[in-house]
Amino acid sequence: MAETLSRPQDHREWFAFVLVWGAAALVTAVFCWLLGDIIWHGLSHVSWTFLTTSPENAGRRGGIGPILVSTSLILGVCLAVSLPIGIGTAVLLAEFTSDQSLFGRMTRRSLDVLAGVPSIVFGLFGNAFFCKALGLGFSILSGGLTLACMVLPILIRSTEEGFRAVPASYRLSAAALGLSRSTTLVHLLLPAAVPGLLVGLVLGIGRAIAETAALIFTSGYVDRMPQSLLDSGRALSIHIFDLSMNVAGGDANAYASALVLVVLLLAINGAASWLATYGLHRKIMTV
Amino acid sequence: MRPVEPSIIEQRSRHPLGDRSASYEPQPFVEVDRLSLYYGEKPAFQDVTLSINKGYITALVGPSGCGKTSFLTCLNRLTDLIAGCRVSGRIMIDTRDVLASDIDVIQLRRRIGMIFQKPNPFPLTIRRNLEFPLREQGLRDREQIAEIIEATLRDVGLWDEVKDRLNSPALALSGGQQQRLCIARALALLPEVLLLDEPCSALDPLSSGVVEDLIVSLRDRYTVLIVTHNLVQARRIADYAALFWIKNGAGRLIEAGPAKQIFEEPRDPLTAAYVSGMRG
């Protein structure tokens, strides 16, 4: 290496080397700094009591118990609605619609546009449609449904890619064995498409759990323990936003809440990739 | 493990070829009449009229791209899966009109097994690969399924190699073993016709020999159609042969008849040139 570096083209290579590694190091450094900052300021405030008690004095003291419950309920509503619709649409697009058909192209184009729409627009739409038109008011249900609309494009496109990645030979050999289309779909294609589905799910959950703008107008920011899905409930991200922007002296608990949110995200990510590599894989092989 | 009579398959079999005598008369089982296939506007092959005898091995030979594989996929209606594919003509298999719009395609495909060039077991266990199509066919009795699995695996000479690891992934098998598993999977459904699309071409010479011997052992019990580029192999195993060739941009059937005639005293000069290795 040392002797080859003397030639001019090797200096260029050295420059490229520094550029590429420098960029990677910068990205990692930003992440570490962010994470370090949150841990440094937040860790001392996170405790079992913090996770289970209600916020007091506008969140300056107390915990985030009801907020965790609201967040999981919103996420639950979002997934319960978006998963079946998402998988169904992906199956329709990948298995029953040709690439060139007008319907397929229109649906894909709409989904790609929807995926890029700012979340505040989804929030306003959710407020107008779910809260007002459907009369659900500021509620966990409205928030979850709005998030579902937001997550669907990502989930559908990524699941569709999962189906397209399944080799055509599976479909041909299954058909040649006299397996019906629905059996082929349920027992062969769906398990094989699971990695794509999980990628979409992780991206979707990531977007949903960290969402603030779309929820302010739909699920509201009441920080009491919700009694039903029609109650308003404050999501974790809104709690962080409120504490750091509107509540003087709420920074400590804002940091602690942010730490909880980041840990949740990392846990969901880890669980999904574990599921993709071990859990479901083994299930497919032996069922 | 209780030994299973090798005759289980024959007991379940409905075709009376097991006790074929020397004086057995060749009897057409698949009759193809003026069959053409188009992908969009482009013809794959045109005007093929061919009669295939029951219980014999018929080899389809010819250069690449002359429509041999497309011809096979017409017989089990796999062409339905290909967008923009159009088939005209008439195919009768036994008493079934294959191209009729009201035919039960799923039932048809269960009676006509197909083996592809590249072994394509499902990413499941060895057992599940065989069990899955049987259960789908409506067979629920676990004991009966286990018997069929053992009998078909013995039939393809795979039983002794895999009996201790039926629950391990099929994709962990070697290429030749995978191809024999695929043949077993097709045989388990008791097909009347077997379509083999270059079943040995993706295998190493040793595995290829094993699979070839297996195909020969299927003669009499099944009506076998095999597409092959290997003329030597066709000469070794086929009772009948048909030569496809490209004429005016579309595949055509040039000559068909007993393998001996095709390979030793062909009537068409093109066949003569092809089998002597001067063309193709």
Side-chain angles (χ1 to χ4, degrees):
Chain A
M1 188 83 185
E3 59 166 354
T4 53
L5 269 179
S6 55
R7 291 204 304 268
Q9 66 263 40
D10 292 323
H11 285 295
R12 280 206 298 276
E13 207 160 276
W14 179 245
F15 180 69
F17 176 83
V18 170
L19 204 70
V20 170
W21 280 90
L26 193 71
V27 169
T28 318
V30 168
F31 174 71
C32 289
W33 175 55
L34 208 139
L35 197 64
D37 187 52
I38 293 175
I39 293 176
W40 180 258
H41 289 98
L43 192 59
S44 56
H45 300 277
V46 177
S47 64
W48 183 247
T49 327
F50 178 73
L51 293 176
T52 49
T53 55
S54 294
E56 288 165 31
N57 192 5
R60 288 183 191 86
R61 275 179 294 129
I64 53 167
I67 285 142
L68 281 180
V69 172
S70 298
T71 309
S72 7
L73 285 177
I74 293 172
L75 200 60
V77 169
C78 164
L79 291 182
V81 173
S82 60
L83 267 181
I85 300 180
I87 295 176
T89 315
V91 166
L92 179 71
L93 282 178
E95 301 295 328
F96 295 92
T97 321
S98 91
D99 289 354
Q100 281 81 40
S101 75
L102 186 67
F103 172 78
R105 277 185 301 153
M106 297 266 284
T107 313
R108 277 188 206 97
R109 180 66 55 83
S110 328
L111 287 172
D112 289 345
V113 171
L114 269 184
V117 168
S119 54
I120 189 86
V121 177
F122 276 103
L124 291 172
F125 162 77
N127 183 272
F129 185 66
F130 296 118
C131 302
K132 300 231 171 80
L134 295 187
L136 299 175
F138 279 89
S139 64
I140 286 170
L141 198 56
S142 299
L145 291 173
T146 309
L147 282 191
C149 296
M150 230 178 80
V151 165
L152 265 174
I154 309 171
L155 193 61
I156 293 171
R157 291 295 266 148
S158 147
T159 310
E160 187 198 346
E161 288 311 313
F163 275 105
R164 290 194 186 278
V166 180
S169 69
Y170 285 14
R171 297 179 183 87
L172 282 180
S173 56
L177 284 167
L179 300 178
S180 67
R181 254 187 133 165
S182 52
T183 310
T184 311
L185 187 66
V186 173
H187 292 282
L188 287 173
L189 302 181
L190 201 56
V194 159
L197 174 70
L198 281 178
V199 169
L201 199 60
V202 167
L203 289 174
I205 291 180
R207 197 167 174 197
I209 203 173
E211 188 45 51
T212 317
L215 290 178
I216 286 186
F217 303 118
T218 50
S219 62
Y221 32 89
V222 173
D223 60 5
R224 282 191 305 272
M225 183 65 87
Q227 301 301 312
S228 81
L229 291 182
L230 288 170
D231 275 0
S232 170
R234 181 188 285 205
L236 206 45
S237 50
I238 292 185
H239 190 55
I240 298 167
F241 169 75
D242 196 48
L243 282 183
S244 55
M245 302 307 280
N246 303 333
V247 179
D251 279 358
N253 272 358
Y255 267 115
S257 307
L259 181 59
V260 172
L261 184 60
V262 169
V263 168
L264 266 178
L265 265 174
L266 291 178
I268 290 170
N269 246 308
S273 58
W274 180 86
L275 215 60
T277 9
Y278 301 104
L280 281 166
H281 186 62
R282 272 185 53 180
K283 197 165 152 49
I284 295 162
M285 301 300 287
T286 52
V287 160
Chain B
M1 190 67 69
R2 184 174 60 88
V4 169
E5 296 291 320
S7 60
I8 274 192
I9 291 207
E10 274 140 316
Q11 283 170 12
R12 295 170 66 225
S13 167
R14 286 177 208 146
H15 26 98
L17 290 173
D19 52 10
R20 187 169 82 180
S21 62
S23 62
Y24 180 78
E25 278 291 308
Q27 182 190 346
F29 193 67
V30 180
E31 303 230 45
V32 178
D33 188 25
R34 275 167 297 153
L35 190 70
S36 303
L37 184 149
Y38 297 84
Y39 294 118
E41 288 306 307
K42 191 184 171 301
F45 62 83
Q46 282 176 322
D47 255 347
V48 172
T49 299
L50 181 65
S51 166
I52 290 147
N53 285 330
K54 188 169 186 172
Y56 288 102
I57 298 177
T58 304
L60 307 180
V61 295
S64 297
C66 62
K68 305 184 298 291
T69 299
S70 300
F71 178 77
L72 281 195
T73 54
C74 290
L75 301 183
N76 66 351
R77 290 270 297 262
L78 270 197
T79 43
D80 291 9
L81 269 67
I82 302 162
C85 177
R86 196 158 47 82
V87 182
S88 68
R90 194 173 149 87
I91 304 171
M92 292 297 291
I93 295 184
D94 203 6
T95 53
R96 288 187 200 86
D97 183 356
V98 172
L99 298 179
S101 54
D102 60 344
I103 192 171
D104 183 345
V105 178
I106 302 252
Q107 280 304 328
L108 173 81
R109 290 182 184 144
R110 285 177 187 157
R111 315 304 317 164
I112 302 174
M114 183 161 187
I115 308 300
F116 298 81
Q117 180 173 5
K118 208 166 154 271
N120 54 5
F122 299 128
L124 306 166
T125 63
I126 296 171
R127 186 199 305 280
R128 276 286 288 169
N129 258 286
L130 294 160
E131 185 187 70
F132 181 31
L134 285 171
R135 292 182 73 93
E136 177 68 6
Q137 204 185 25
L139 206 56
R140 285 282 178 268
D141 184 350
R142 283 177 168 278
E143 222 166 277
Q144 203 185 351
I145 290 177
E147 276 181 14
I148 295 171
I149 288 177
E150 178 168 349
T152 45
L153 283 176
R154 279 186 192 283
D155 230 28
V156 300
L158 206 54
W159 176 251
D160 289 328
E161 292 164 53
V162 303
K163 64 182 176 198
D164 300 323
R165 48 177 176 141
L166 287 175
N167 290 323
S168 54
L171 293 174
L173 296 172
S174 76
Q177 288 174 323
Q178 287 188 17
Q179 194 62 302
R180 281 186 284 154
L181 178 66
C182 290
I183 296 177
R185 189 172 65 177
L187 294 186
L189 296 176
L190 293 179
E192 293 155 359
V193 181
L194 268 184
L195 311 173
L196 308 171
D197 184 10
E198 298 187 51
C200 299
S201 64
L203 307 179
D204 64 87
L206 222 72
S207 311
S208 171
V210 175
V211 171
E212 187 182 310
D213 291 343
L214 166 61
I215 295 168
V216 171
S217 76
L218 300 175
R219 187 188 326 227
D220 299 359
R221 283 188 285 155
Y222 305 93
T223 303
V224 179
L225 254 108
I226 177 170
V227 166
T228 176
H229 280 122
N230 185 339
L231 274 183
V232 186
Q233 181 183 57
R235 203 182 271 241
R236 271 196 306 264
I237 66 175
D239 303 301
Y240 296 92
L243 176 76
F244 280 65
W245 202 270
I246 308 167
K247 271 187 174 174
N248 303 326
R252 298 273 182 174
L253 177 65
I254 301 297
E255 186 175 357
K260 203 173 161 55
Q261 176 202 318
I262 297 284
F263 288 115
E264 282 163 25
E265 41 207 59
R267 291 183 189 145
D268 194 286
L270 207 52
T271 317
Y274 184 68
V275 297
S276 66
M278 283 159 64
R279 292 195 65 177

